[in-house]
Amino acid sequence: MVSVHGWALPRSRRKEPPFFTKSQIISVLEQVGTLLQLDGANPFRVRAYENASRSLSAHEEDLWETVNDGLLIDIKGIGKGIAGLIEEAMKEGSWGGLNSLYEKVPKGLIEMLGIPGLGPKRIKQFYDELGIESIAELRSAAEDGALSKLPRMGKKMEERIIEGIELLARFTGRRRLDIGLLYGEAFEGRISSISGVQRAQLAGSARRRKESIGDLDIVAAVEKKNLEEVTEAILAIPGIAEVKGAGDSKISLILESTLFDETSSRSMIDGGVLAALGGEAWEELESNSTIDAQVRLVPPHVFAYTMAYFTGSKEHNVRMRQRALDMGLRLNEFGLFPLEGLGDMKGLEAAANGMPAANEKEIYQHLKMDWVTPEMREDMGEIEAASAGTLPNLLESEDIKGALHNHTTASDGAASLTEMADAAISLGWEFLGIADHSEVLNIGGRSIGVPQDLVFEQGKEIRKLNENWQDSETNFRILHGSECDILADGKLDYPENVRRELTHVVGSVHALGSWKNRDEFENTENLIKAIEDPTFTILGHPTGRIIGGRDGFPVDMHAVLRRMGELNSEGILKACEINASPYRLDLDWRLCKYAKSQGVPIVINPDAHSTQGLKDVWFGVQIARKGWLEANDVLNCLSGHEIESRMLEGRK
Ligand code: DGT
Ligand code: CA
Ligand code: ZN
């Protein structure tokens, strides 16, 4: 599949040849092959471009050297015409006759290429036979059943196209936090290393650790005299799909995934969820998706103010500005100034007369506030707390001593019990809770849950491992739990005697279908019924949402948390999970404070399906911080001894 962005002939930013790189040439040749198909060109011409693109990809020598030695024509698969084109592009920086082809093909047809499973041939067919020129038109034709009446089409294909359109629509908006940070941190690193950049830092929603990111905001401190060369160097960073605008102080770009190392570790989602979201097509879209970025270039002395402004949130900024006004001051992205005496001065000119701030802390100090950590800047009470000196002492990653919901090969995990334990030990953890899926769970007809007799087997194995660690005085233990399905009627999977065997029961809804088609009252009632079961300890991924994938089922989480709070006040442990997988981040951070106010303990669970997956706990910590949680509120901060007794004593 092809990325929708960047469907334009590249323009060179170099002043001398070679004007384009080999990878730029390869990508143009590939695009031309596709455009020719959409244009209905002779198949031999189409193939010539496809072959040329492919043989250049396999060509190992330096392309510029090959061109200069006049050896281009000797490469198998490159004919005279295409060789001439490549030579012109590299030597003169122009694309000859290709401009008209790029202009000729309707933009809507190119956008349709982004629909998983839809290629140029079909798009051309729909265009020729039904006059379809946009995704919207394609969608209504599919919904009216017009597509399936065409030759070589059927109902199945039509349904797949509708699904593909829906999938694509979800990818054009926001990106998950993990993906946003992968791009953001790589880009921040690249910009920071440019000479002339004093410092560069990620701002915006990525710095605030929102669960999804609209676009990246980066602020760079640059002296005026270096502006031009720094701008040029930023525009030359590989991984930029498109430059939307580059002015004196702001550069707007679209980044593509070549920006970061392919081997950068990405978070994984378990197979079942992935299948529900669209499987391979979803993964394909994900790896081809881009992200927008804005870079602001500012003089070093205003950097802190610009960072504070573009970190946001907008709601936090509005409150900050009001607080400044109440003190007779004006606050903006350039500084903090007395309201009186500025005359006509604006922006940077006015900043010269403002109150200096070497860092954000000093800005908050000027406004008689404590520094607010970026995660909390959402106008959810932090302004008041920072003014009164009552900000919470937030949880830190280092406080985490273990987690309670993880999988092994006994269900759908990729690693064995001992492999998972070793990975946890090397993270410095004191405990690891194993909670494999319960019996009822099957995905696509394949059962992945642990049969009852194997639960007892797993228990024996865990006891043996725990004894070994105890004997060798290793401060580590496995807690034997299960991720028990909450059935549609609010009952838990497994007979009670099996559940009694376990240290902890993570109750989760997996068969989302029946919950999504039900009334909120009924869902809330059934969820509470499950929680009230005496063996139930932890509510797993409370709503079942997948960020950017699907909404959770309708449920009154306030009512659920209230009931859990009541039970806790009776000394019965009912904890709520923050599922730390960046696909989920469920419980939502907006509800954390409420959970805390009701006395519901939180557990941050990576829901790891591999040893790598344990690291996802970091995302959960970010979300817990965003939700104002302190180490005291989070069970992961208990020691290995404490957690075990807490689980056992809390069960009544
Ligand atoms: P996003 O990109 O939708 O995930 O969310 P943000 O928070 O990154 O928002 P964005 O990119 O529109 O703007 C970055 C920051 O710039 C935002 O958090 C606060 C600041 N900002 C943007 N527009 C305004 C505005 O109209 N007023 C104020 N006070 N601040 C703004
Ligand atoms: Ca943003
Ligand atoms: Zn799980």
Side-chain angles (χ1 to χ4, degrees):
M1 205 209 52
V2 243
S3 150
V4 187
H5 295 290
W7 276 81
L9 283 166
R11 262 181 294 168
S12 182
R13 298 185 200 111
R14 286 174 53 87
K15 294 196 175 70
E16 56 192 51
F19 286 103
F20 295 105
T21 64
K22 183 171 159 187
S23 63
Q24 283 177 310
I25 304 269
I26 291 171
S27 120
V28 167
L29 293 175
E30 194 191 326
Q31 289 190 355
V32 169
T34 306
L35 290 173
L36 286 172
Q37 283 186 67
L38 291 174
D39 195 38
N42 166 340
F44 292 105
R45 256 190 94 201
V46 172
R47 209 156 312 137
Y49 280 92
E50 288 174 348
N51 288 343
S53 165
R54 215 165 308 131
S55 49
L56 268 196
S57 309
H59 182 69
E60 284 168 359
E61 270 100 284
D62 182 80
L63 185 60
W64 181 227
E65 242 170 64
T66 311
V67 167
N68 281 320
D69 295 346
L71 297 176
L72 203 49
I73 194 80
D74 292 348
I75 301 177
K76 196 170 168 281
I78 294 194
K80 220 165 144 195
I82 294 182
L85 191 107
I86 297 173
E87 202 167 323
E88 179 186 329
M90 289 189 97
K91 287 187 168 164
E92 285 154 48
S94 54
W95 293 104
L98 293 183
N99 287 296
S100 59
L101 176 69
Y102 270 80
E103 278 160 27
K104 192 169 156 202
V105 176
K107 251 199 141 46
L109 302 195
I110 294 172
E111 276 164 14
M112 280 184 238
L113 289 168
I115 301 169
L118 199 57
K121 259 201 212 105
R122 291 245 183 245
I123 295 172
K124 174 73 174 148
Q125 183 192 8
F126 301 152
Y127 178 63
D128 286 345
E129 294 176 31
L130 298 171
I132 291 171
E133 275 197 56
S134 68
I135 293 180
E137 287 170 14
L138 180 67
R139 186 185 193 123
S140 62
E143 283 168 354
D144 294 348
L147 296 187
S148 56
K149 297 201 183 81
L150 294 175
R152 300 184 309 280
M153 279 288 297
K155 273 274 161 233
K156 259 240 145 67
M157 268 299 287
E158 198 169 56
E159 277 163 25
R160 274 189 48 201
I161 286 173
I162 295 175
E163 279 166 23
I165 292 172
E166 281 168 3
L167 211 52
L168 179 65
R170 298 208 297 260
F171 273 93
T172 46
R174 308 176 65 83
R175 309 298 313 277
R176 286 195 323 266
L177 176 62
D178 58 322
I179 304 281
L181 285 177
L182 216 46
Y183 279 100
E185 284 170 2
F187 201 42
E188 180 190 79
R190 294 271 192 181
I191 295 178
S192 302
S193 66
I194 292 171
S195 91
V197 172
Q198 289 196 4
R199 61 181 303 199
Q201 201 182 342
L202 196 52
S205 49
R207 185 169 181 232
R208 297 200 317 280
R209 310 294 193 229
K210 276 272 292 274
E211 68 277 19
S212 72
I213 310 296
D215 65 358
L216 296 170
D217 305 273
I218 291 192
V219 181
V222 181
E223 300 279 8
K224 195 167 180 208
K225 64 177 198 306
N226 297 324
L227 265 183
E228 205 172 319
E229 68 175 81
V230 167
T231 303
E232 221 168 281
I234 291 175
L235 293 178
I237 292 173
I240 296 176
E242 201 178 316
V243 179
K244 295 209 288 191
D248 249 6
S249 58
K250 177 178 164 184
I251 306 175
S252 299
L253 306 156
I254 299 174
L255 305 177
E256 59 184 20
S257 57
T258 49
L259 180 75
F260 48 83
D261 188 354
E262 281 297 314
T263 60
S264 302
S265 74
R266 282 187 169 224
S267 299
M268 307 280 284
I269 187 80
D270 41 302
V273 176
L274 186 64
L277 296 175
E280 257 173 61
W282 159 278
E283 278 185 319
E284 209 173 70
L285 270 175
E286 177 138 87
S287 56
N288 282 295
S289 284
T290 56
I291 193 164
D292 287 17
Q294 327 279 340
V295 187
R296 319 266 165 175
L297 306 173
V298 296
H301 66 279
V302 306
F303 180 79
Y305 283 105
T306 313
M307 266 311 286
Y309 182 86
F310 286 107
T311 296
S313 65
K314 192 173 159 186
E315 292 73 16
H316 178 86
N317 288 355
V318 167
R319 293 290 309 277
M320 290 287 283
R321 195 161 49 210
Q322 188 56 48
R323 185 164 174 93
L325 282 174
D326 294 344
M327 294 169 67
L329 299 167
R330 165 163 312 172
L331 175 66
N332 64 23
E333 68 263 50
F334 301 114
L336 184 63
F337 337 85
L339 280 174
E340 309 287 321
L342 279 183
D344 288 337
M345 282 190 291
K346 284 212 182 84
L348 281 172
E349 197 193 348
N353 299 291
M355 302 164 81
N359 52 46
E360 283 186 344
K361 201 167 174 185
E362 294 183 13
I363 301 175
Y364 284 90
Q365 261 167 12
H366 289 322
L367 296 173
K368 313 224 174 314
M369 297 164 79
D370 289 337
W371 178 74
V372 179
T373 190
E375 298 93 312
M376 290 177 65
R377 299 184 197 170
E378 299 288 349
D379 190 22
M380 302 262 282
E382 77 281 8
I383 301 279
E384 292 77 3
S387 312
T390 55
L391 283 169
N393 184 12
L394 297 182
L395 168 80
E396 312 258 2
S397 273
E398 296 73 41
D399 299 330
I400 299 291
K401 297 200 175 83
L404 292 174
H405 170 187
N406 301 288
H407 297 264
T408 71
T409 45
S411 63
D412 58 344
S416 69
L417 205 52
T418 45
E419 285 166 342
M420 291 298 282
D422 287 344
I425 291 170
S426 59
L427 287 174
W429 287 5
E430 293 182 19
F431 64 92
L432 180 71
I434 293 297
D436 275 311
H437 287 294
S438 67
E439 204 163 22
V440 74
L441 193 65
N442 67 67
I443 286 166
R446 198 171 60 91
S447 166
I448 59 164
V450 183
Q452 292 174 36
D453 49 336
L454 292 188
V455 174
F456 294 99
E457 287 298 312
Q458 194 178 45
K460 269 189 224 154
E461 200 183 339
I462 288 173
R463 272 194 295 277
K464 213 165 85 197
L465 287 167
N466 282 342
E467 276 163 25
N468 289 347
W469 284 310
Q470 200 167 6
D471 291 346
S472 64
E473 292 184 7
T474 307
N475 181 20
F476 184 80
R477 73 202 66 218
I478 293 179
L479 305 192
H480 187 205
S482 164
E483 182 175 19
C484 265
D485 255 67
I486 300 176
L487 309 175
D489 60 2
K491 292 209 177 88
L492 291 172
D493 194 19
Y494 285 141
E496 192 179 329
N497 72 309
V498 178
R499 279 183 266 120
R500 289 257 170 226
E501 189 64 15
L502 304 159
T503 326
H504 60 295
V505 168
V506 181
S508 305
V509 171
H510 284 115
L512 230 57
S514 43
W515 295 74
K516 283 198 95 157
N517 293 322
R518 243 183 357 196
D519 170 55
E520 181 177 314
F521 287 110
E522 216 175 320
N523 282 338
T524 307
E525 213 170 278
N526 282 296
L527 203 58
I528 288 178
K529 183 174 158 197
I531 291 166
E532 286 173 344
D533 184 290
T535 59
F536 184 107
T537 17
I538 299 165
L539 178 59
H541 45 69
T543 71
R545 76 163 179 197
I546 300 292
I547 291 162
R550 66 177 185 212
D551 293 335
F553 58 82
V555 61
D556 181 352
M557 273 312 291
H558 288 99
V560 172
L561 291 167
R562 253 191 324 272
R563 181 69 188 125
M564 292 173 83
E566 282 168 15
L567 292 163
N568 277 287
S569 72
E570 293 164 24
I572 308 170
L573 177 67
K574 303 289 177 186
C576 183
E577 169 176 282
I578 292 178
N579 190 292
S581 162
Y583 286 81
R584 297 187 183 273
L585 301 176
D586 178 18
L587 188 69
D588 190 283
W589 57 269
R590 297 164 189 83
L591 285 167
C592 289
K593 240 177 160 181
Y594 187 74
K596 176 176 176 161
S597 75
Q598 297 303 302
V600 179
I602 298 291
V603 192
I604 300 172
N605 281 324
D607 196 357
H609 285 72
S610 66
T611 53
Q612 279 297 315
L614 292 174
K615 289 204 194 86
D616 278 351
V617 86
W618 183 86
F619 292 100
V621 171
Q622 308 304 301
I623 290 304
R625 289 171 57 85
K626 204 164 175 55
W628 290 52
L629 298 183
E630 307 183 276
N632 269 338
D633 308 318
V634 175
L635 296 180
N636 308 62
C637 305
L638 296 177
S639 72
H641 291 284
E642 289 164 342
I643 189 90
E644 196 160 28
S645 43
R646 186 77 194 273
M647 290 292 136
L648 297 173
E649 284 161 18
R651 182 183 282 189
K652 283 194 182 157

